[in-house]
């Protein structure tokens, strides 16, 4: 066993003595030792209940003949961190999570790991750690939140964000917004649509690193507790069979994850996280692969923010196994990939059926012919930009307008809520990329304000930052190279014409090559916004968004 190096032999008597201070007995120490990386805390709704699930995992580990040892790692709530300097830390926390788990699992060589997660950066950070360590591991998520109820309609956090824009133009009163605020998030779990947290927890299933149901079983369901207990048992089998992440997270498994991503209509943040996880596996995922898979994969799931249903409905419809079984009917998946169940993907999904066809559509009757995400390129984004194309209205799939340029998110939000954005304009928010932000803030506040004010069919928004999984409308993020690295977005000026052509995967600024070169020759890098602490180090080491914003 891997843990023998810290517990076996007379020379490890001091080590065993310390373990006995924990209350462990000789039998406990002799058994496989399973680390449980628990990201529970009291500020993230998706993590408030994880201590309860950790107890179930421990119970399963003990029942299967192992010794569970729990340790903690951080977790940031993107919603609470939104639209203030705290959001700079969100994406950057992914690397801290991966590093902290690596540190704990190397300092205390566990035989296996159960990674207890739920929200946005925590799941990819944990998957990165699993790939880096390459010891038997599996992911357990805390599950989705129930949708709220507001005047007879299902609602979620995004409705509250959009409500701010409605109040700004008089479509909603502050009293009505307060009522919505009180009802939209009814309890524990990650926010109720196919936003980043639920996207990554569903894709953990598709990758093979989580048990079936991980992405969709509700946080409040007893089935979530049963899944956690089963995971505790299953990790002992993975240790016994020596099934490692490198055997599961293969290139074909990542292709499966991208395929499910496109069919689900996942968050555009998956285009950051999947390449970052793959890089830890020694696999390069070029952005063009996302376009190739999107072109052959129809969008099938009518789930918020691009659809009207929520995660509870997706679970009732059969969840990820049912969706994958439908995709398998046209050979869109690699069915022979190993999973943490010990079985192949094809075996896991073969009995799954779609139970609510209004939520998971058939391949013959898709919501959209292409998948959820598109990668755009052009002279404004030579290395690519990302858009959730299924959340864009038909009227805005092609758009041409004058640039309104802002060097920060705050400046753009002030102009939007102040009514200073005109029809047909293109809002440009720059110096918010991985290096320039630093930390590549999500832009849910400006995008939700645009939608709440009813401008999503009139105004486009582009940024070298990124968008929440809850964003909808013509919002193109991850513009690479970013402004802080001297990308063309840095030289855009108010009034420049910008053309967006999502069907043809283009985004361009209507300037001659000569004019672009001239402006770039005059450009000078700005002073770093943050000069000390973690973010200062992060800005010096982080790659561009098209490479997953990984640390070099």
């Amino acid at each position: 066993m891997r843990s023998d190096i810290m517990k076996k032999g007379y020379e490890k008597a001091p080590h065993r003595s310390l373990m006995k201070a924990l209350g462990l007995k000789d039998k406990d120490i002799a058994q496989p030792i399973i680390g449980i990386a628990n990201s529970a805390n009291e500020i993230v709704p998706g993590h408030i209940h994880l201590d309860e699930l950790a107890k179930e995992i421990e119970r399963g580990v003990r029942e299967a003949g192992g010794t569970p040892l729990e340790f903690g790692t951080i977790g940031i709530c993107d919603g609470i961190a939104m639209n203030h300097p705290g959001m700079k830390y969100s994406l950057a926390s992914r690397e801290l999570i991966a590093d902290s788990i690596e540190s704990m699992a190397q300092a205390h060589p566990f035989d296996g790991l159960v990674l207890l997660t739920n929200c946005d950066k925590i799941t990819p950070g944990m998957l990165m750690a699993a790939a880096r360590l390459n010891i038997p591991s599996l992911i357990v998520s805390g599950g989705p939140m129930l949708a709220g109820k507001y005047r007879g309609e299902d609602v979620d956090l995004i409705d509250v964000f959009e409500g701010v824009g409605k109040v700004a133009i008089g479509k909603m009163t502050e009293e009505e917004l307060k009522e919505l605020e009180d009802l939209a998030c009814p309890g524990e779990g990650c926010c109720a649509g196919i936003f980043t947290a639920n996207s990554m927890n569903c894709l953990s299933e598709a990758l093979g690193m989580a048990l079936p149901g991980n992405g969709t079983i509700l946080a409040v369901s007893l089935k979530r507790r049963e899944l956690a207990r089963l995971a505790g048992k299953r990790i002992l089998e993975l240790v016994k069979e020596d099934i490692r992440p490198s055997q599961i997270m293969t290139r074909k498994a990542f292709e499966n994850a991208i395929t499910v991503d496109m069919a689900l209509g996942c968050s555009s943040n998956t285009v950051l996280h999947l390449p970052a996880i793959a890089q830890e596996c020694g696999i390069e995922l070029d952005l063009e692969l996302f376009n190739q898979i999107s072109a052959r994969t129809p969008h099938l799931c009518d789930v918020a923010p691009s659809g009207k249903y929520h995660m509870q409905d997706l679970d009732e419809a059969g969840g990820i196994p049912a969706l994958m079984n439908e995709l398998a009917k046209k050979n869109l998946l690699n069915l022979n990939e190993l999973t943490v169940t010990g079985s192949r993907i094809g075996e896991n999904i073969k009995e799954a059926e779609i139970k609510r066809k209004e939520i998971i559509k058939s391949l013959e009757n898709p919501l959209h012919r292409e998948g959820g995400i598109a990668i755009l390129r052009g002279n404004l984004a030579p290395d690519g930009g990302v858009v959730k194309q299924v959340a864009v209205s038909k009227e805005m799939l092609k758009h041409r307008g004058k640039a309104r340029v802002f060097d920060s998110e705050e400046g753009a939000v002030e102009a939007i809520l102040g009514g200073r954005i005109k029809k047909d304009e293109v809002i440009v928010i720059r110096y918010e990329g991985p290096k320039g932000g630093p930390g590549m803030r999500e832009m849910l506040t400006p995008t939700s304000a645009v939608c709440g004010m009813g401008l999503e069919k009139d105004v486009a928004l582009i940024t070298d930052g990124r968008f929440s999984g809850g964003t909808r409308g013509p919002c193109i993020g991850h513009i690479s190279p970013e402004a802080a690295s001297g990308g063309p977005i840095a030289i855009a000026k108010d009034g420049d014409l910008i053309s967006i052509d999502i069907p043809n995967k283009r985004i361009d600024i209507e300037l001659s090559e000569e004019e672009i070169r001239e402006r770039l020759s005059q450009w000078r890098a700005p002073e770093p916004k943050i000069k000390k602490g973690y973010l200062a180090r992060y800005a010096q080491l982080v790659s561009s968004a098209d490479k997953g914003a990984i640390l070099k």
Side-chain angles (χ1 to χ4, degrees), residues 250-450:
T250 64
R251 182 174 180 83
K252 288 184 178 179
F254 279 102
E255 290 174 1
N256 283 345
I258 297 172
T259 301
V260 173
D261 185 346
M262 297 304 163
L264 261 176
C266 287
S267 164
S268 58
N269 283 314
T270 60
V271 184
L272 285 173
H273 298 320
L274 290 176
I277 299 162
Q279 188 269 343
E280 296 285 356
C281 299
I283 298 167
E284 183 177 351
L285 297 183
D286 186 88
L287 289 188
E288 197 52 40
L289 179 63
F290 286 82
N291 271 347
Q292 291 168 6
I293 293 177
S294 181
R296 67 178 185 242
T297 308
H299 174 222
L300 301 181
C301 295
D302 192 15
V303 181
S306 60
K308 60 182 178 179
Y309 297 101
H310 290 85
M311 295 303 294
Q312 62 210 53
D313 304 299
L314 181 60
D315 190 55
E316 288 177 12
I320 303 308
L323 173 63
M324 293 184 77
N325 196 22
E326 181 66 20
L327 292 168
K329 291 176 182 178
K330 288 195 176 178
N331 301 316
L332 293 172
L333 295 173
N334 303 299
L335 298 180
N336 201 37
E337 297 308 294
L338 186 62
T339 76
V340 292
T341 67
S343 299
R344 308 286 167 173
I345 281 283
E347 297 172 64
N348 289 348
I349 66 174
K350 65 182 179 182
E351 304 297 331
E353 297 179 358
I354 298 173
K355 297 173 183 176
R356 292 183 62 184
K357 294 185 178 180
E358 75 276 20
I359 297 165
I360 304 177
K361 303 291 187 180
S362 68
L363 288 166
E364 287 72 31
N365 183 35
L367 289 164
H368 299 92
R369 184 179 59 82
E370 289 191 0
I373 290 170
I375 309 299
L376 310 186
R377 297 184 191 271
N379 66 5
L380 190 58
D383 295 335
V386 181
V387 64
K388 189 168 182 174
Q389 62 179 347
V390 297
V392 181
S393 65
K394 290 180 180 179
E395 297 92 332
M396 292 297 288
L397 290 172
K398 292 186 178 183
H399 182 72
R400 182 173 179 263
K402 291 182 178 180
R404 287 291 306 278
V405 181
F406 302 92
D407 287 346
S408 70
E409 177 187 6
E410 288 85 354
V413 170
E414 184 182 355
I416 294 166
L417 293 179
R420 299 198 301 274
I421 300 299
K422 298 175 183 176
K423 184 177 178 180
D424 295 331
E425 288 183 330
V426 177
I427 302 165
V428 178
I429 305 176
R430 64 187 178 193
Y431 295 107
E432 291 286 9
K435 178 180 176 181
M440 203 179 182
R441 287 195 286 181
E442 285 186 345
M443 303 291 166
L444 182 57
T445 297
T447 61
S448 296
V450 166

Side-chain angles (χ1 to χ4, degrees), residues 76-324:
I76 288 173
C77 179
D78 280 22
I80 296 173
M82 197 72 66
N83 192 229
H84 61 78
M87 177 49 75
K88 295 176 184 289
Y89 287 86
S90 175
L91 179 60
S93 74
R94 185 186 69 183
E95 302 347 93
L96 291 175
I97 291 161
D99 289 351
S100 68
I101 294 170
E102 175 197 357
S103 299
M104 288 295 288
Q106 296 288 36
H108 318 98
F110 304 118
D111 296 299
L113 278 173
V114 179
L115 303 162
L116 182 54
T117 178
N118 216 19
C119 291
D120 301 63
K121 304 313 148 311
I122 299 92
T123 300
M126 289 188 167
L127 285 167
M128 289 166 69
R132 190 183 302 171
L133 290 162
N134 199 32
I135 62 176
S137 306
L138 58 78
I139 287 280
V140 178
S141 80
M145 185 187 292
L146 278 164
K149 280 283 187 184
Y150 173 73
R151 302 187 178 187
E153 298 291 329
D154 283 353
V155 292
D156 57 52
L157 178 67
I158 307 307
D159 293 287
V160 187
F161 270 99
E162 293 188 4
V164 174
K166 291 178 180 179
V167 170
I169 61 168
K171 284 178 64 177
M172 177 180 273
T173 67
E174 289 190 41
E175 291 73 23
E176 289 169 334
L177 179 59
K178 174 63 166 60
E179 182 184 352
L180 176 60
E181 167 193 329
D182 291 343
L183 298 171
C185 299
E188 65 202 52
C190 51
C191 297
I194 193 70
F195 313 141
T196 305
N198 288 318
S199 294
M200 290 308 303
N201 290 329
C202 289
L203 297 189
S204 296
E205 280 189 58
L207 267 177
M209 285 296 292
L211 297 174
N214 179 73
T216 59
I217 295 173
L218 288 172
V220 295
S221 171
L222 284 176
K223 289 183 179 179
R224 178 58 58 181
R225 276 72 179 161
E226 293 168 9
L227 185 75
R229 184 179 173 190
L230 180 59
K233 291 182 176 182
R234 183 61 203 153
I235 190 62
L236 270 298
E237 293 301 314
L238 293 176
V239 170
K240 181 179 177 181
E241 298 162 21
D242 196 28
I243 296 176
R244 297 170 181 257
S246 59
Q247 297 165 261
I248 295 172
M249 290 194 283
T250 64
R251 182 174 180 83
K252 288 184 178 179
F254 279 102
E255 290 174 1
N256 283 345
I258 297 172
T259 301
V260 173
D261 185 346
M262 297 304 163
L264 261 176
C266 287
S267 164
S268 58
N269 283 314
T270 60
V271 184
L272 285 173
H273 298 320
L274 290 176
I277 299 162
Q279 188 269 343
E280 296 285 356
C281 299
I283 298 167
E284 183 177 351
L285 297 183
D286 186 88
L287 289 188
E288 197 52 40
L289 179 63
F290 286 82
N291 271 347
Q292 291 168 6
I293 293 177
S294 181
R296 67 178 185 242
T297 308
H299 174 222
L300 301 181
C301 295
D302 192 15
V303 181
S306 60
K308 60 182 178 179
Y309 297 101
H310 290 85
M311 295 303 294
Q312 62 210 53
D313 304 299
L314 181 60
D315 190 55
E316 288 177 12
I320 303 308
L323 173 63
M324 293 184 77

Side-chain angles (χ1 to χ4, degrees), residues 94-95 128 275-276 279 541-544 547-552:
R94 185 186 69 183
E95 302 347 93
M128 289 166 69
Q279 188 269 343
L541 296 172
V542 70
S543 76
S544 63
K547 302 298 183 186
I550 58 172
L551 295 187
K552 300 171 187 174

